[in-house]
Amino acid sequence: MFEELQIYESPLMRSSEDVLAAFAWEEVLCKQVGQGHPPVAHLWRHENALVIGLRDRRLQMAPDVLRDYEARGIRTCVRPSGGAAVKLTPGVINVSLIMPNTDQVINIHEDFKKMVSYIQEALLPWGAVAKAGEIEGAFCPGDYDVSIAGRKFCGIAQRRLAKAYLITAFIIVEDNGDDLAAEVREFYDAAASGEEDHYPQVVEGTMGGLRELAGVPSVEAYMNSLIQVFRKQAVHVSEIEPVVNREEVDKMVTILKERYDRD
């Protein structure tokens, strides 16, 4: 239970906007939370992007493939949190809980479980039951994959700073799971040389969206349900945009590119 929680839904990011800016914004805000800013639940979406992990970036042909994607109007970035490649569309929600860690004592497994419970509770209006556990063959695989009937719709990762941290998730709502899986598999097929095998083997039939799996009518419907769940987690809730310096975000974009996306 939070004493205070700030909930903010960013406007949909267009294809003209650098998807890394969303991660940089959260990075700057995470530092502010470590300095006393209230915890934040941040929800955002991007029109057309491929977000990959650091290990994905090390695949032999990844730099060339990412440049080709950018030329085709698909924004790309290497995210600072863990995980592997994920395709973002307006039908995919990204949600982050940004929390203080001033005492340097956190239990990541418990926080992952809490995020899973919030995602599960937000499904109750549609009577769906979701489970946590890795789905073999899904993209961005992990111990805290969230699935319905064996098909993953959500993946969870974390990012730690000195005095704060965030738990972040992607949630597929409106998209067809096999279509997204095919796009991610296309990236790996192009980015990996014939000798490389240390990357996720994405298999058809392992991914799904909440519309097809649970009858959730729209991304807005699930997002509103999730916001209601977050509201119940705090004594005091505000839903105004956090004050984040634009220049700091721009500087953070540069820092993250130099740190995670360099040849």
Side-chain angles (χ1 to χ4, degrees):
M1 191 76 172
F2 300 101
E3 179 65 28
E4 186 175 359
L5 180 66
Q6 194 165 3
I7 303 173
Y8 177 59
E9 177 192 342
S10 294
L12 174 67
M13 296 181 73
R14 298 298 178 181
S15 294
S16 58
E17 297 179 83
D18 186 352
V19 66
L20 186 57
F23 296 96
W25 187 91
E26 290 188 342
E27 193 89 354
V28 172
L29 186 56
C30 198
K31 290 184 176 182
Q32 292 183 194
V33 169
Q35 296 167 354
H37 189 287
V40 176
H42 179 220
L43 300 94
W44 63 278
R45 294 177 294 144
H46 195 283
E47 195 170 44
N48 189 16
L50 180 78
V51 176
I52 68 171
L54 186 58
R55 291 183 65 184
D56 298 330
R57 177 61 175 77
R58 292 171 179 157
L59 292 171
Q60 184 173 322
M61 299 303 296
D64 293 336
V65 174
L66 295 181
R67 281 190 287 269
D68 177 64
Y69 277 31
E70 289 280 348
R72 290 160 48 194
I74 302 171
R75 304 311 303 260
T76 67
C77 80
V78 182
R79 64 168 169 268
S81 57
V86 173
K87 183 66 169 64
L88 301 184
T89 74
V92 178
I93 302 168
N94 300 278
V95 55
S96 295
L97 280 174
I98 305 172
M99 295 167 285
N101 184 33
T102 52
D103 297 329
Q104 300 292 297
V105 178
I106 59 175
N107 188 325
I108 288 296
H109 293 294
E110 288 304 314
D111 286 317
F112 272 62
K113 289 176 182 177
K114 286 180 182 177
M115 179 67 95
V116 169
S117 72
Y118 301 152
I119 291 164
Q120 291 171 324
E121 186 176 348
L123 279 169
L124 291 179
W126 296 279
V129 177
K131 298 181 179 180
E134 183 171 349
I135 299 298
E136 186 175 350
F139 62 69
C140 197
D143 292 341
Y144 290 93
D145 292 346
V146 189
S147 62
I148 295 174
R151 296 177 68 185
K152 174 178 176 176
F153 66 89
C154 171
I156 303 175
Q158 57 94 9
R159 167 77 170 155
R160 304 186 207 186
L161 299 184
K163 295 183 179 181
Y165 67 107
L166 59 85
I167 304 292
T168 184
F170 71 86
I171 304 168
I172 303 169
V173 181
E174 295 182 4
D175 295 86
N176 178 277
D178 281 340
D179 290 345
L180 290 186
E183 292 189 55
V184 174
R185 187 166 56 247
E186 177 184 288
F187 162 75
Y188 284 123
D189 288 345
S193 69
E195 294 77 27
E196 293 174 301
D197 59 4
H198 54 280
Y199 60 90
Q201 304 296 311
V202 182
V203 178
E204 186 177 3
T206 58
M207 303 295 302
L210 290 179
R211 175 180 282 174
E212 57 183 321
L213 298 177
V216 177
S218 67
V219 68
E220 290 82 10
Y222 184 78
M223 194 148 39
N224 289 336
S225 183
L226 189 58
I227 288 172
Q228 292 300 322
V229 172
F230 286 144
R231 283 176 179 154
K232 292 190 291 184
Q233 308 309 314
V235 177
H236 302 287
V237 175
S238 65
E239 296 186 34
I240 60 173
E241 180 178 359
V243 178
V244 176
N245 187 288
R246 203 63 239 176
E247 290 184 3
E248 288 188 57
V249 174
D250 292 340
K251 289 179 182 177
M252 185 58 67
V253 167
T254 301
I255 291 170
L256 293 179
K257 283 183 178 177
E258 290 177 349
R259 185 177 300 165
Y260 298 104
D261 190 9
R262 56 190 301 179
D263 295 326

